[in-house]
């Protein structure tokens, strides 16, 4: 699956045995900043092709010698089968910073042995104090559906991009025993990716940018809303609250890598903007660039890429779905334009992209196409919504003519 060029740049460092032995007590799981969407095309990372070596695959336990961790490979002819207890995990060391967009999982559905749900942890070093969990806005670990027994293979797309060197999956519920084959999806062309650190939850913080396998900060000289808006768009937010400056002390670990960034405001990446081209960035202040992004109120979930999925909106501190009663392409056009696309290819009904959770917020939508937000459209207001999630509405947005390709769904408001 991996190209020869991909294999050349993939230099895997054998995982030190001690890294796989760290316990994962709740107090040891730390929060990571929100990470931007992947700047490159997602593809299999090498579990099946062998680009990820056996030495990089470890686990908390094995059931027997015939079910060792490397049997998790889809081409192994067998499965990873741990003892069916809590706190079992399978771990992959990716060696370099990698954007992981999701996983493809196989169980033995015909034999009743498969993972029902799982959570994800990730780390840059593997130290016991360096694990982060893929969490929702309240900080709770997200439980992903691994399989429901009706099919052997399921592709799970993460609601945000995980950038890490080490990824760990923890089964949380299963049928029979835990049988698992696994492929990771993602990419490694990460130059120019941005993240927020030391901020308030996931919406604000100091901006850091990735270059030459290093995260670096940005001097606040000339930093304004043009630059801040590009960062928020890269992170998946539709709008920006403000450009900020935060106290910062330069160190070898987090160097200043950009100074006097001067964007036009039309760039898709911060790395595409002009800045001082000096080998060592000299910042004449003790403040670094930061942003505060506005929370999103709409997202697409369950699609094969960021242009399609089940429509979900955020109201009353909850994500919920839309009912497909009278749902048509006029309504879908409003959703797609709100997300930054030029319009909709199709309106999908009957939970085409899978059933959501939480409330159903709107029923009988009657958009006329002029609305800027789906919540501006008329709907049934004086009757209780009796629609269930088998009628969740979805869209397929036009892939061309997108103002910001990075306006994809994220798992928080």
């Amino acid at each position: 699956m991996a190209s020869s060029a991909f294999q050349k740049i993939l230099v895997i460092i054998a995982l030190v045995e001690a890294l796989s032995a760290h316990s994962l007590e709740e107090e040891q799981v730390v929060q990571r900043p929100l990470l931007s969407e992947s700047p490159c095309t997602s593809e299999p990372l090498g579990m099946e092709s062998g680009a990820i070596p056996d030495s990089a695959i470890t686990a908390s336990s094995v059931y027997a010698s015939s079910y060792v961790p490397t049997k998790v490979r889809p081409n192994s002819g067998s499965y990873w089968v741990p003892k069916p207890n809590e706190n079992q995990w399978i771990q992959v060391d990716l060696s370099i910073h990698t954007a992981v967009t999701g996983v493809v999982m196989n169980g033995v559905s015909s034999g009743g042995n498969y993972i029902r749900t799982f959570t994800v942890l990730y780390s840059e070093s593997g130290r016991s104090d360096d694990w982060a969990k893929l969490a929702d806005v309240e900080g709770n670990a997200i439980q992903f559906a691994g399989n429901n027994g009706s099919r052997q293979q399921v592709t799970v797309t993460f609601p945000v991009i995980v950038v890490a060197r080490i990824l760990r999956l923890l089964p949380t519920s299963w049928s029979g025993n835990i049988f698992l084959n696994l492929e990771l999806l993602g990419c490694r062309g990460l130059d120019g990716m941005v993240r927020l650190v030391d901020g308030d939850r996931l919406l604000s913080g100091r901006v850091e940018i990735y270059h030459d396998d290093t995260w670096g900060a940005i001097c606040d000289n000339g930093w304004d809303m043009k630059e801040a808006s590009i960062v928020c768009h890269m992170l998946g937010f539709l709008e920006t609250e403000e450009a900020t400056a935060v106290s910062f002390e330069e160190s070898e670990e987090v160097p200043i890598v950009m100074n006097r960034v001067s964007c036009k405001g039309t760039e898709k990446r911060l790395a595409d903007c002009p800045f001082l081209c000096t080998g060592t960035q000299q910042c004449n202040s003790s403040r670094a660039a930061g942003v505060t992004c506005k929370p999103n109120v709409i997202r697409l979930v369950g699609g094969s890429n960021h242009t399609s999925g089940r429509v979900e909106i955020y109201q009353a501190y909850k994500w919920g779905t839309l009912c497909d009663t009278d749902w048509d392409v006029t309504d879908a056009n409003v959703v797609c334009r709100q997300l930054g696309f030029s319009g909709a290819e199709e309106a999908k009904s009957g939970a085409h992209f899978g059933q959501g959770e939480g409330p159903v917020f709107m029923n009988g939508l009657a958009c006329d196409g002029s609305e800027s937000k789906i919540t501006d459209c008329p709907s049934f207001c004086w009757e209780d919504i009796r629609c269930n999630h088998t009628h969740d509405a979805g869209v397929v947005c036009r892939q061309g003519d997108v103002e910001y390709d990075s306006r994809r769904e994220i798992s928080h408001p």
Side-chain angles (χ1 to χ4, degrees), residues 57 73 150 152 167 199 201 207 239 266 282 323 328 331 336 350:
I57 306 171
R73 294 183 185 279
S150 63
Q152 285 187 310
L167 195 81
R201 287 188 178 269
V207 179
E239 297 182 76
T266 58
Q282 299 295 325
C323 188
D328 60 24
D331 308 317
C336 291

Side-chain angles (χ1 to χ4, degrees), residues 77-99:
S78 185
Y79 300 85
W80 173 60
V81 185
K83 296 178 181 178
N85 301 317
E86 296 288 345
N87 300 320
Q88 304 298 310
W89 45 261
I90 187 78
Q91 176 175 297
V92 181
D93 182 2
L94 297 161
S95 178
I96 61 176
H97 279 108
T98 303

Side-chain angles (χ1 to χ4, degrees), residues 10 38 127 152 156 216 231 236-237 239 254 279 288 293 300 321 325 338 390 409:
L10 181 59
S38 171
R127 298 191 311 268
Q152 285 187 310
V156 177
V231 169
F237 294 102
E239 297 182 76
V254 186
C293 304
L300 303 182
T321 62
T325 303
Q338 186 176 350
T390 62
E409 72 279 2

Side-chain angles (χ1 to χ4, degrees), residues 311 313 321-328 330-332 334-335 361-368 371 373-380 393:
V311 181
I313 61 175
T321 62
L322 307 180
C323 188
D324 64 5
T325 303
D326 299 326
W327 180 253
D328 60 24
T330 302
D331 308 317
V334 175
V335 168
F361 282 126
M362 303 181 77
N363 185 17
L365 278 154
C367 306
D368 65 19
E371 298 87 354
K373 297 182 295 184
I374 193 67
T375 50
D376 292 338
C377 296
S379 65
F380 298 146

Side-chain angles (χ1 to χ4, degrees), residues 88-240:
Q88 304 298 310
W89 45 261
I90 187 78
Q91 176 175 297
V92 181
D93 182 2
L94 297 161
S95 178
I96 61 176
H97 279 108
T98 303
V100 184
T101 61
V103 298
V104 180
M105 306 180 73
N106 276 336
V108 188
S109 58
S110 59
N113 297 301
Y114 53 87
I115 294 174
R116 290 187 182 275
T117 60
F118 66 96
T119 59
V120 176
L121 292 168
Y122 55 102
S123 172
E124 294 191 2
S125 68
R127 298 191 311 268
S128 61
D129 61 349
D130 187 44
W131 288 95
K133 59 187 174 184
L134 197 52
D136 61 20
V137 69
E138 285 83 23
N140 301 315
I142 300 173
Q143 289 201 2
F144 297 98
N147 207 308
N148 59 13
S150 63
R151 55 187 175 180
Q152 285 187 310
Q153 186 179 90
V154 61
T155 298
V156 177
T157 301
F158 296 156
V160 293
I161 306 301
V162 173
V163 175
R165 298 177 187 269
I166 304 173
L167 195 81
R168 182 177 284 183
L169 271 65
L170 294 89
T172 50
S173 66
W174 50 88
S175 174
N177 291 315
I178 301 171
F179 278 57
L180 179 64
N181 283 159
L182 173 70
E183 179 63 87
L184 300 182
L185 303 175
C187 61
R188 289 183 167 83
L190 306 186
D191 250 24
M193 176 173 282
V194 297
R195 69 180 184 182
L196 305 182
V197 300
D198 297 336
D200 177 15
R201 287 188 178 269
L202 302 174
L203 300 172
S204 64
R206 184 180 74 239
V207 179
E208 292 188 356
I209 189 166
Y210 189 79
H211 179 61
D212 285 344
D213 203 29
T214 300
W215 288 103
I218 300 165
C219 187
D220 74 330
N221 291 337
W223 186 257
D224 60 24
M225 283 293 288
K226 294 192 298 295
E227 291 78 29
S229 294
I230 292 169
V231 169
C232 287
H233 290 147
M234 290 180 68
L235 292 169
F237 294 102
L238 302 179
E239 297 182 76
T240 307

